[in-house]
Amino acid sequence: MAKTSTTTQGLRAAIERSGYYPALVAEAVEAAVGGEPMRSYLVHQETTFDQNEVRRHVTVLVLTDNRFIVSHTDEQAADSTSPTPYATTSTESVKIGRISSIVVSRVVANPESYKPGTLPREVVLTIGWGAVSRIDLEPAACGDPNCEADHGYTGNSTADDLSLRVSEAGDGPETVRQALAFAQALSEATADTTR
């Protein structure tokens, strides 16, 4: 899909609907995208509660022909470093060929009567490209309960660069559809080995 005014307007409208500093978020995303055609996008606004404060966070994902762009915007209350509230926006641009894994987890109600095409009530999209890895280690052991030898450590390394959860109850059915469409577009883009 080429970057058309319809795609650009759709992204802008989604950012506006999030209601979360739309001018700031749109400027950061548009600067990261530059003049590249957009294939797909997803805007997800999340509200969290931190003791007595409500914090908002928006994530914007954009797929172009060559890149996967992630934008995060967080708001912060006034603190010792700033007498006024502030927001932090960051963007990361990842070449499509660097994406090593895409995991789409779907939660469906009443799976025994599931019909193809039914919207899941929840989707978790996890994307890995090697920027962040988590290592879980534990002492290694052998099968001998009387063994006192040091067997070193065993563990797992997990790529966990981005995990995004959307639900029909919290985000609405359109956001769940958009998450699935974005995941499919990203999966198709990474399947193209010529990139």
Side-chain angles (χ1 to χ4, degrees):
M1 172 190 313
K3 182 177 181 180
T4 64
S5 61
T6 304
T7 305
T8 302
Q9 289 171 354
L11 175 58
R12 267 210 175 257
I15 291 171
E16 291 282 338
R17 268 192 312 277
S18 79
Y20 185 75
Y21 308 122
L24 174 65
V25 172
E27 181 180 55
V29 171
E30 289 169 4
V33 171
E36 273 193 88
M38 286 188 287
R39 296 174 70 169
S40 188
Y41 63 86
L42 174 62
V43 177
H44 181 251
Q45 195 266 332
E46 181 179 17
T47 302
T48 57
F49 301 93
D50 184 14
Q51 295 178 358
N52 295 334
E53 295 180 18
V54 175
R55 295 186 190 265
R56 296 180 299 166
H57 174 90
V58 70
T59 302
V60 179
L61 308 179
V62 176
L63 176 63
T64 71
D65 288 337
N66 301 304
R67 298 180 298 146
F68 166 63
I69 297 165
V70 183
S71 174
H72 294 287
T73 304
D74 292 289
E75 67 181 354
Q76 303 294 325
D79 58 22
S80 61
T81 63
S82 176
T84 59
Y86 60 97
T88 304
T89 299
S90 64
T91 57
E92 182 174 4
S93 176
V94 180
K95 289 186 178 201
I96 295 293
R98 295 233 359 169
I99 295 176
S100 56
S101 70
I102 302 165
V103 179
V104 181
S105 300
R106 301 165 190 239
V107 177
V108 298
N110 303 314
E112 69 281 354
S113 60
Y114 177 80
K115 291 182 178 46
T118 302
L119 194 63
R121 70 178 187 200
E122 182 177 309
V123 172
V124 179
L125 174 60
T126 305
I127 304 166
W129 58 90
V132 178
S133 292
R134 182 179 69 241
I135 298 176
D136 297 319
L137 294 175
E138 61 185 40
C142 68
D144 181 358
N146 297 321
C147 180
E148 295 180 11
D150 181 356
H151 294 284
Y153 290 88
T154 185
N156 296 310
S157 176
T158 308
D160 195 15
D161 295 305
L162 175 74
S163 189
L164 190 76
R165 176 187 169 270
V166 297
S167 70
E168 187 176 24
D171 304 296
E174 187 52 39
T175 302
V176 174
R177 275 188 204 87
Q178 188 68 35
L180 290 171
F182 184 85
Q184 182 175 347
L186 184 60
S187 184
E188 289 169 359
T190 58
D192 182 358
T193 58
T194 61
R195 293 184 200 280

